[in-house]
mmCIF file of all heavy atoms in Angstrom:
data_model
loop_
_atom_site.group_PDB
_atom_site.id
_atom_site.type_symbol
_atom_site.label_atom_id
_atom_site.label_comp_id
_atom_site.label_asym_id
_atom_site.label_seq_id
_atom_site.Cartn_x
_atom_site.Cartn_y
_atom_site.Cartn_z
ATOM 1 N N ALA B 496 42.279 17.286 -11.800
ATOM 2 C CA ALA B 496 41.067 17.112 -10.938
ATOM 3 C C ALA B 496 40.070 16.095 -11.529
ATOM 4 O O ALA B 496 38.911 16.452 -11.773
ATOM 5 C CB ALA B 496 40.383 18.420 -10.704
ATOM 6 N N PRO B 497 40.469 14.864 -11.780
ATOM 7 C CA PRO B 497 39.511 13.899 -12.245
ATOM 8 C C PRO B 497 38.494 13.559 -11.145
ATOM 9 O O PRO B 497 37.439 12.983 -11.436
ATOM 10 C CB PRO B 497 40.363 12.667 -12.575
ATOM 11 C CG PRO B 497 41.597 12.795 -11.761
ATOM 12 C CD PRO B 497 41.838 14.291 -11.624
ATOM 13 N N TRP B 498 38.800 13.855 -9.952
ATOM 14 C CA TRP B 498 37.928 13.680 -8.822
ATOM 15 C C TRP B 498 37.702 14.990 -8.136
ATOM 16 O O TRP B 498 38.501 15.917 -8.284
ATOM 17 C CB TRP B 498 38.526 12.718 -7.745
ATOM 18 C CG TRP B 498 38.716 11.299 -8.154
ATOM 19 C CD1 TRP B 498 38.406 10.736 -9.355
ATOM 20 C CD2 TRP B 498 39.296 10.270 -7.368
ATOM 21 N NE1 TRP B 498 38.713 9.408 -9.365
ATOM 22 C CE2 TRP B 498 39.280 9.101 -8.150
ATOM 23 C CE3 TRP B 498 39.826 10.215 -6.067
ATOM 24 C CZ2 TRP B 498 39.769 7.901 -7.661
ATOM 25 C CZ3 TRP B 498 40.308 9.014 -5.598
ATOM 26 C CH2 TRP B 498 40.281 7.860 -6.375
ATOM 27 N N LEU B 499 36.611 15.035 -7.353
ATOM 28 C CA LEU B 499 36.465 16.100 -6.385
ATOM 29 C C LEU B 499 37.086 15.575 -5.110
ATOM 30 O O LEU B 499 36.561 14.617 -4.497
ATOM 31 C CB LEU B 499 35.010 16.431 -6.166
ATOM 32 C CG LEU B 499 34.693 17.471 -5.125
ATOM 33 C CD1 LEU B 499 35.376 18.776 -5.425
ATOM 34 C CD2 LEU B 499 33.200 17.698 -4.991
ATOM 35 N N PHE B 500 38.250 16.129 -4.748
ATOM 36 C CA PHE B 500 38.940 15.620 -3.542
ATOM 37 C C PHE B 500 38.273 16.297 -2.328
ATOM 38 O O PHE B 500 38.173 17.499 -2.242
ATOM 39 C CB PHE B 500 40.426 15.993 -3.577
ATOM 40 C CG PHE B 500 41.099 15.445 -4.811
ATOM 41 C CD1 PHE B 500 41.512 16.299 -5.838
ATOM 42 C CD2 PHE B 500 41.318 14.086 -4.940
ATOM 43 C CE1 PHE B 500 42.091 15.793 -6.980
ATOM 44 C CE2 PHE B 500 41.926 13.590 -6.122
ATOM 45 C CZ PHE B 500 42.314 14.440 -7.092
ATOM 46 N N ILE B 501 37.811 15.482 -1.386
ATOM 47 C CA ILE B 501 37.021 16.080 -0.307
ATOM 48 C C ILE B 501 37.707 15.887 1.066
ATOM 49 O O ILE B 501 38.298 16.811 1.586
ATOM 50 C CB ILE B 501 35.599 15.549 -0.325
ATOM 51 C CG1 ILE B 501 34.969 15.816 -1.707
ATOM 52 C CG2 ILE B 501 34.755 16.266 0.758
ATOM 53 C CD1 ILE B 501 33.716 15.061 -2.012
ATOM 54 N N VAL B 502 37.689 14.676 1.583
ATOM 55 C CA VAL B 502 38.369 14.472 2.881
ATOM 56 C C VAL B 502 39.036 13.101 2.903
ATOM 57 O O VAL B 502 38.752 12.223 2.084
ATOM 58 C CB VAL B 502 37.378 14.526 4.059
ATOM 59 C CG1 VAL B 502 36.968 15.954 4.375
ATOM 60 C CG2 VAL B 502 36.187 13.638 3.866
ATOM 61 N N HIS B 503 39.905 12.953 3.863
ATOM 62 C CA HIS B 503 40.450 11.641 4.248
ATOM 63 C C HIS B 503 39.761 11.284 5.525
ATOM 64 O O HIS B 503 39.639 12.126 6.452
ATOM 65 C CB HIS B 503 41.963 11.713 4.457
ATOM 66 C CG HIS B 503 42.723 12.156 3.250
ATOM 67 N ND1 HIS B 503 42.782 11.424 2.099
ATOM 68 C CD2 HIS B 503 43.469 13.290 3.031
ATOM 69 C CE1 HIS B 503 43.543 12.078 1.208
ATOM 70 N NE2 HIS B 503 43.956 13.193 1.753
ATOM 71 N N ASP B 504 39.408 10.029 5.673
ATOM 72 C CA ASP B 504 38.724 9.554 6.890
ATOM 73 C C ASP B 504 39.746 9.276 7.981
ATOM 74 O O ASP B 504 40.898 8.908 7.683
ATOM 75 C CB ASP B 504 37.987 8.266 6.545
ATOM 76 C CG ASP B 504 37.100 7.779 7.699
ATOM 77 O OD1 ASP B 504 36.796 8.598 8.578
ATOM 78 O OD2 ASP B 504 36.730 6.597 7.677
ATOM 79 N N LEU B 505 39.357 9.459 9.212
ATOM 80 C CA LEU B 505 40.216 9.065 10.338
ATOM 81 C C LEU B 505 39.696 7.802 10.981
ATOM 82 O O LEU B 505 40.124 7.405 12.054
ATOM 83 C CB LEU B 505 40.322 10.213 11.356
ATOM 84 C CG LEU B 505 41.037 11.446 10.800
ATOM 85 C CD1 LEU B 505 41.086 12.506 11.866
ATOM 86 C CD2 LEU B 505 42.411 11.094 10.310
ATOM 87 N N ASN B 506 38.784 7.204 10.290
ATOM 88 C CA ASN B 506 38.387 5.805 10.665
ATOM 89 C C ASN B 506 37.984 5.624 12.122
ATOM 90 O O ASN B 506 38.516 4.798 12.797
ATOM 91 C CB ASN B 506 39.565 4.876 10.317
ATOM 92 C CG ASN B 506 39.113 3.436 10.156
ATOM 93 O OD1 ASN B 506 37.928 3.195 9.998
ATOM 94 N ND2 ASN B 506 40.046 2.525 10.174
ATOM 95 N N PRO B 507 36.970 6.354 12.568
ATOM 96 C CA PRO B 507 36.573 6.162 13.944
ATOM 97 C C PRO B 507 35.885 4.818 14.139
ATOM 98 O O PRO B 507 35.099 4.393 13.295
ATOM 99 C CB PRO B 507 35.598 7.331 14.195
ATOM 100 C CG PRO B 507 35.044 7.631 12.860
ATOM 101 C CD PRO B 507 36.140 7.351 11.881
ATOM 102 N N ARG B 508 36.193 4.146 15.191
ATOM 103 C CA ARG B 508 35.373 2.990 15.609
ATOM 104 C C ARG B 508 35.292 3.082 17.120
ATOM 105 O O ARG B 508 36.222 3.589 17.788
ATOM 106 C CB ARG B 508 35.963 1.678 15.095
ATOM 107 C CG ARG B 508 37.443 1.503 15.101
ATOM 108 C CD ARG B 508 37.795 0.088 14.674
ATOM 109 N NE ARG B 508 37.500 -0.191 13.281
ATOM 110 C CZ ARG B 508 38.411 -0.124 12.279
ATOM 111 N NH1 ARG B 508 39.631 0.257 12.538
ATOM 112 N NH2 ARG B 508 38.048 -0.398 11.081
ATOM 113 N N ALA B 509 34.152 2.679 17.629
ATOM 114 C CA ALA B 509 33.964 2.800 19.079
ATOM 115 C C ALA B 509 33.795 1.388 19.644
ATOM 116 O O ALA B 509 33.215 0.542 19.027
ATOM 117 C CB ALA B 509 32.687 3.615 19.389
#
Side-chain angles (χ1 to χ4, degrees):
Chain B
W498 293 358
L499 176 60
F500 304 108
I501 304 163
V502 285
H503 302 294
D504 187 19
L505 294 180
N506 202 14
R508 39 176 68 97

